[in-house]
Amino acid sequence: MPSASPETRADDALESVIRFDGVGMRYGRGPEVLQDISFDLPRGSFQFLTGPSGAGKTSLLKLIYLAQRPSRGLIWHFGRDSSKLHRSDLPDIRRRIGMVFQDFRTLDHLSVFENVALPLRVAGRKRKEYADDVAELIHWVGLGDKMDAHPQTLSGGEQQRVAIARAVVGQPELLVADEPTGNVDPAMARRLLRLFTELNRLGTTILIATHDITLVRALDVPIMSLADGRLSTGRRKASA
């Protein structure tokens, strides 16, 4: 079967939040850490990304967040060919993506409240418009008594919850989370999963990279698996 034309692939990409087509990625002159990656994140979908350490999950997420460029292949973000994006386009694309990093990336000079509210403040919202919603979300992730604390005084699990709250507070079009439950107990992991599923119900596309098999088994959603830089897809039935 002949491959689709560039015009056809671009039309298909409009139906997806993210689309990869034959993507490869390497750092410097090293070997490819991602090879021939092709997949779609349809609008409103919920998917897991799994794979052993070193499989390339974080590298793939960096491509989605435009923190890295592919060595080859095409990526569309919200229907736009990322290879044609100007540097000035990147902030607008990133504002549409809520990103939970493994290393949290909280700002030490800001309080928990200020860290979580940052995307709204950057978007030009006034504090009186969002203060109640931010406070409610912080309480929901179990940090109501840490509202005025600074990240350096928090545990790793608490910082992770700050990072998650910051990523979801603006109800982004796409939420990408790299091991979002890696530092929390099982009860909090289930609570955070409910937060993600509710956000998905409201229309946000969700991609969660995780080693947490319990988390993956909790939902009957598509699963992408990386091994040695190559991607396969499947589905796991939710546990009874």
Side-chain angles (χ1 to χ4, degrees):
M1 180 181 294
S3 60
S5 68
E7 292 80 8
T8 300
R9 293 199 300 270
D11 288 343
D12 290 343
L14 290 173
E15 302 301 320
S16 303
V17 172
I18 299 292
R19 181 178 178 88
F20 278 48
D21 187 0
V23 170
M25 178 184 168
R26 59 166 40 93
Y27 294 100
R29 297 184 179 181
E32 283 194 331
V33 296
L34 296 174
Q35 303 174 50
D36 300 315
I37 303 294
S38 297
F39 70 90
D40 289 275
L41 293 182
R43 293 181 185 276
S45 63
F46 192 130
Q47 300 192 44
F48 286 111
L49 175 65
T50 66
S53 296
K57 298 190 300 299
T58 298
S59 294
L60 190 150
L61 299 188
K62 286 180 178 179
L63 291 175
I64 291 177
Y65 193 62
L66 293 164
Q68 295 285 343
R69 296 282 190 174
S71 305
R72 59 186 175 89
L74 295 173
I75 303 174
W76 283 271
H77 288 74
F78 307 102
R80 301 178 66 182
D81 182 347
S82 64
S83 68
K84 298 178 181 178
L85 293 175
H86 190 271
R87 184 180 296 273
S88 61
D89 296 321
L90 301 187
D92 177 62
I93 295 291
R94 287 180 178 143
R95 276 193 291 270
R96 300 168 73 178
I97 303 172
M99 185 74 197
V100 181
F101 299 95
Q102 278 199 59
D103 56 358
F104 317 135
R105 302 198 185 181
T106 50
L107 300 179
D108 285 347
H109 66 287
L110 299 180
S111 68
V112 166
F113 180 94
E114 291 166 335
N115 266 282
V116 173
L118 187 60
L120 304 179
R121 196 175 76 182
V122 169
R125 303 253 320 259
K126 296 184 183 302
R127 184 185 176 100
K128 64 181 180 181
E129 297 173 351
Y130 62 68
D132 290 346
D133 291 339
V134 170
E136 181 181 0
L137 180 57
I138 292 171
H139 277 283
W140 204 93
V141 298
L143 295 173
D145 60 341
K146 306 282 188 179
M147 199 86 64
D148 297 320
H150 285 72
Q152 62 267 38
T153 69
L154 304 179
S155 69
E158 289 169 337
Q159 289 190 59
Q160 189 164 47
R161 282 179 272 161
V162 173
I164 291 169
R166 180 184 59 195
V168 307
V169 70
Q171 295 187 17
E173 292 179 54
L174 170 64
L175 175 69
V176 179
D178 195 357
E179 299 289 352
T181 61
N183 292 291
V184 300
D185 61 49
M188 181 54 68
R190 291 191 296 271
R191 189 171 177 84
L192 292 173
L193 184 58
R194 290 199 300 273
L195 176 63
F196 297 145
T197 54
E198 176 62 15
L199 196 65
N200 179 243
R201 188 187 68 79
L202 293 172
T204 296
T205 305
I206 309 283
L207 177 63
I208 297 177
T210 184
H211 286 100
D212 188 343
I213 298 303
T214 301
L215 197 70
V216 173
R217 287 175 174 165
L219 296 176
D220 179 19
V221 300
I223 300 167
M224 300 190 293
S225 298
L226 271 172
D228 299 322
R230 294 187 178 276
L231 189 72
S232 60
T233 59
R235 199 175 187 95
R236 182 191 295 276
K237 285 290 183 183
S239 57

